[in-house]
Amino acid sequence: GENVEQHPSTLSVQEGDSAVIKCTYSDSASNYFPWYKQELGKGPQLIIDIRSNVGEKKDQRIAVTLNKTAKHFSLHITETQPEDSAVYFCAASTDKIIFGKGTRLHILP
Amino acid sequence: KAGVTQTPRYLIKTRGQQVTLSCSPISGHRSVSWYQQTPGQGLQFLFEYFSETQRNKGNFPGRFSGRQFSNSRSEMNVSTLELGDSALYLCASSLVSGTGIGDEKLFFGSGTQLSVL
C-alpha cells in the first residue's frame, strides 16, 4: 500500500522567512496530494492540494510543487507569520488518503 | 453550514472495556473516514464508509469496527480496549463524486480524545 514520508518532523523559522516541508510517496498510482494544517485542539484543515497532472500550484503565500518522476512533493510558505505556527500534514491518495506523520512548524518572533 | 460533529469530545475508559464514537458529517456528504492520531504515528487511516458500505480499510485489528447509517452518520467501535488505543480519533466527511472516486477534500471534526487507563 501507499507510504508517505514527511520531513522535517519539527521546523523553526524566523517570522518573515520561508518554510519548506518535503514529502515522498511510494505508490506511483497516487494522483491527488493535499496538505492539511492542524491547529491546537482542532481537526486538520485543507490548505492546498494538487493533482498529478499539475506540477505547481500557488495560493497567496502558500505553494505546492510536485515531481512525479521522483515521487516528491513539497509545501512552501513564504513571508511566514505567527498564525502559521501549527502542525502540517502532507498526504497522497489513490483509493484512500494516506498521511505523513506531520511537521510541527514554529514561527519565531 | 454546520461542520463535522464528533461526540463525545473526551472519553476515559479502562482496559478491556469497549467504546463507541459518533460522527455526524456535513449535510450532503456521503463519505465518512476515520483516522487515529497519535504523537508518534501521525494520522493513520482506519476505514471509510460510503453509502452505508465500508469501501476501504486500513491495517488495524478486528477490534476496530464501524458502520454508517442511512443519514450518513457514522459510528466507530473499539472492543477490548488496550492501553495503546489511547489516541485522538478523527472523523472526516467528503462530498464524493457519483463514481465514488476517493480523492475529494476531507473535512475533519475536532476529534474524540480517548484515554485508556
Side-chain angles (χ1 to χ4, degrees):
Chain A
E2 175 65 277
N3 183 50
V4 178
E5 298 283 341
Q6 183 171 347
H7 300 280
S9 57
T10 306
L11 178 61
S12 296
V13 300
Q14 213 68 39
E15 183 179 348
D17 288 350
S18 296
V20 180
I21 301 170
K22 298 183 178 183
C23 291
T24 61
Y25 61 98
S26 60
D27 190 344
S28 56
S30 289
N31 54 15
Y32 174 63
F33 306 90
W35 286 85
Y36 286 80
K37 175 184 180 182
Q38 186 176 28
E39 296 175 332
L40 197 61
K42 298 182 180 179
Q45 184 175 12
L46 180 71
I47 55 172
I48 195 168
D49 55 9
I50 192 169
R51 297 188 186 273
S52 57
N53 57 348
V54 175
E56 185 173 357
K57 184 176 179 180
K58 191 173 181 180
D59 182 5
Q60 299 182 340
R61 297 186 297 109
I62 293 173
V64 59
T65 58
L66 171 65
N67 182 329
K68 282 174 54 181
T69 303
K71 294 189 223 169
H72 288 175
F73 57 116
S74 301
L75 177 72
H76 304 252
I77 306 174
T78 59
E79 300 173 8
T80 52
Q81 300 170 2
E83 54 265 35
D84 294 331
S85 292
V87 179
Y88 291 81
F89 292 96
C90 63
S93 172
T94 51
D95 58 346
K96 53 184 180 285
I97 297 178
I98 302 300
F99 287 83
K101 293 187 178 180
T103 295
R104 185 172 296 278
L105 176 62
H106 299 278
I107 306 301
L108 306 172
Chain B
K1 211 173 198 180
V4 177
T5 303
Q6 290 190 247
T7 56
R9 187 73 178 88
Y10 300 95
L11 263 179
I12 299 176
K13 293 285 186 178
T14 56
R15 279 183 300 172
Q17 287 187 311
Q18 73 165 17
V19 66
T20 299
L21 313 181
S22 179
C23 173
S24 293
I26 292 172
S27 177
H29 285 195
R30 295 165 60 194
S31 169
V32 173
S33 299
W34 288 89
Y35 288 84
Q36 181 194 67
Q37 184 175 13
T38 55
Q41 296 300 317
L43 289 163
Q44 292 188 285
F45 176 75
L46 280 155
F47 28 66
E48 183 215 354
Y49 286 87
F50 175 69
S51 293
E52 302 179 66
T53 302
Q54 186 181 89
R55 284 209 302 183
N56 282 301
K57 190 177 187 304
N59 298 321
F60 278 81
R63 300 184 297 107
F64 293 81
S65 63
R67 60 177 174 168
Q68 186 179 33
F69 302 95
S70 58
N71 61 357
S72 295
R73 191 178 70 85
S74 178
E75 287 182 347
M76 185 192 121
N77 185 273
V78 188
S79 62
T80 320
L81 284 166
E82 301 177 359
L83 295 178
D85 296 333
S86 294
L88 179 67
Y89 289 88
L90 290 161
C91 162
S93 72
S94 61
L95 187 63
V96 178
S97 69
T99 58
I101 295 175
D103 62 349
E104 299 291 337
K105 297 173 173 54
L106 294 178
F107 293 83
F108 282 89
S110 295
T112 293
Q113 183 68 52
L114 172 64
S115 297
V116 182
L117 306 177

